[in-house]
Amino acid sequence: MTILILSCGTRNKLVRFFKETFAKLPEGGRVVVTDCSPWAPALYEADQYYLVPRMTEPGYLDRILEICKLEKVNAVLPLFEDELDLLAHNRELFEREGIRAVVSGKETVALCRDKYCFYRHLVENGLPALTTCLNLEQFDRARAEGKLDFPVFVKPVRGCGSVGINRVKNRELLETLCRYSEEELLIQQLADGEELGVDVYVDLLTGKPAAVFAKKKVRMRAGETEKAVSVKDEALFILVERMISTLDFAGPVDMDVFRINGQYYISEINPRFGGGYPHAYHCGVNFPAMIARNLAGKCNEPVIGVYEAGVCMMKYSDEMVRKIEEPF
């Protein structure tokens, strides 16, 4: 069994997890990766790697399909938003070759990318959401109705990580940001409470959650969880299952949830491996094994909340030193 991980970048741990898991398969397994830069350290963790054009360049998909045929790839796994969208819209190209693209449906990917559309989806499906406005007029109405007030979060509608997020305390700054931003912004209720990250695996065959792992975020850095502690709450698991049932998810899903005054609120969802997934893996929640089982044509038995609470994750810096064939 062979999986191709696209744009591997600095996801060294994830590549290692797949290698560890696939090496234990009865039939054996290999991990092949790609990136557009030889400076991507995760390239050198894999069984085989390829340098490819940027995904925006002509011929990118042709090159990925060429690699799939050459390496006899069973599944392709994208890790970043733009590539999720690309593969979701071209899934049939891979399916014709008997290759599974581990990606959610294209409508689901698009909805999760647009934070305001996602908010509307939550409201329409009766799911708890942080009050969100798309412009100053909506904000003024919501403020007059007592639904939110300063301070608020302002962030790009189609942003990722923590890029472009601002905590705004007054009207003057809010107007300035909205007027001069080159990106469409949304204005969101300040989430003054505990922030949680939830890793979900949606079975590729049943379309239902096979695993749910939750962690309370203790410290964030550059949009990723740096320190966290595993938590378990049946009410949270039920909410996650309700949310997943409303869209066409498949494979790994990363959710951000806030707990405010005992109530959970869904903030956003990324239909991909989250940066904090290593915490789940080390707690025994093995998504690579679940992917391998699905690729073998077998459904995964649900293991929602099957892990130990109170286990802490603490990220730290590391480095890779090797010779690479690239002119300086």
Side-chain angles (χ1 to χ4, degrees), residues 69-266:
K69 294 174 184 177
L70 183 65
E71 295 290 345
K72 297 180 171 58
V73 166
N74 302 98
V76 178
L77 176 68
L79 299 180
F80 293 102
E81 275 71 16
D82 289 341
E83 213 149 34
L84 291 177
D85 188 64
L86 181 66
L87 261 70
H89 277 83
N90 292 278
R91 187 188 293 179
E92 67 281 356
L93 294 179
F94 295 90
E95 290 178 347
R96 284 194 219 119
E97 303 296 333
I99 301 163
R100 177 66 192 242
V102 184
V103 63
S104 298
K106 59 185 179 182
E107 292 84 5
T108 296
V109 171
L111 183 72
C112 291
R113 187 71 187 273
D114 187 311
K115 292 180 173 59
Y116 188 70
C117 287
F118 179 69
Y119 165 71
R120 295 302 311 162
H121 176 82
L122 293 176
V123 173
E124 290 165 6
N125 284 273
L127 293 161
L130 300 167
T131 301
T132 303
C133 303
L134 191 57
N135 51 51
L136 284 170
E137 290 73 23
Q138 286 186 12
F139 170 75
D140 287 337
R141 287 197 299 270
R143 189 183 185 195
E145 294 168 2
K147 294 180 179 179
L148 79 168
D149 204 345
F150 292 108
V152 293
F153 269 129
V154 177
K155 55 186 178 182
V157 170
R158 295 176 59 82
C160 59
S162 293
V163 177
I165 290 181
N166 290 279
R167 179 172 173 161
V168 179
K169 297 181 179 180
N170 58 69
R171 176 62 183 240
E172 182 180 5
L173 178 56
L174 181 60
E175 288 183 359
T176 300
L177 287 172
C178 292
R179 182 179 298 117
Y180 295 107
S181 174
E182 296 181 356
E183 300 179 271
E184 190 175 23
L185 299 177
L186 55 79
I187 306 162
Q188 190 173 74
Q189 168 191 350
L190 179 67
D192 189 13
E194 293 180 340
E195 184 176 1
L196 296 98
V198 184
D199 297 290
V200 187
Y201 183 77
V202 180
D203 195 273
L204 302 179
L205 303 182
T206 68
K208 297 180 179 179
V212 179
F213 174 86
K215 54 190 175 287
K216 182 172 73 173
K217 299 180 181 182
V218 177
R219 181 175 175 180
M220 300 288 292
R221 181 174 65 173
E224 286 198 1
T225 307
E226 185 179 62
K227 304 183 192 305
V229 57
S230 59
V231 297
K232 299 170 72 169
D233 186 346
E234 189 62 29
L236 176 58
F237 298 151
I238 291 172
L239 175 60
V240 169
E241 291 187 78
R242 281 181 58 203
M243 174 64 246
I244 295 298
S245 70
T246 67
L247 290 169
D248 179 24
F249 288 108
V253 175
D254 174 46
M255 295 181 62
D256 286 334
V257 179
F258 286 92
R259 189 171 187 266
I260 304 171
N261 298 324
Q263 170 71 45
Y264 288 112
Y265 295 86
I266 299 170

Side-chain angles (χ1 to χ4, degrees), residues 11-30:
R11 303 299 289 273
N12 294 55
K13 288 290 183 67
L14 187 60
V15 175
R16 289 178 203 168
F17 298 158
F18 272 98
K19 282 190 67 176
E20 290 170 6
T21 300
F22 277 37
K24 297 174 184 176
L25 296 175
E27 69 277 19
R30 299 174 68 249

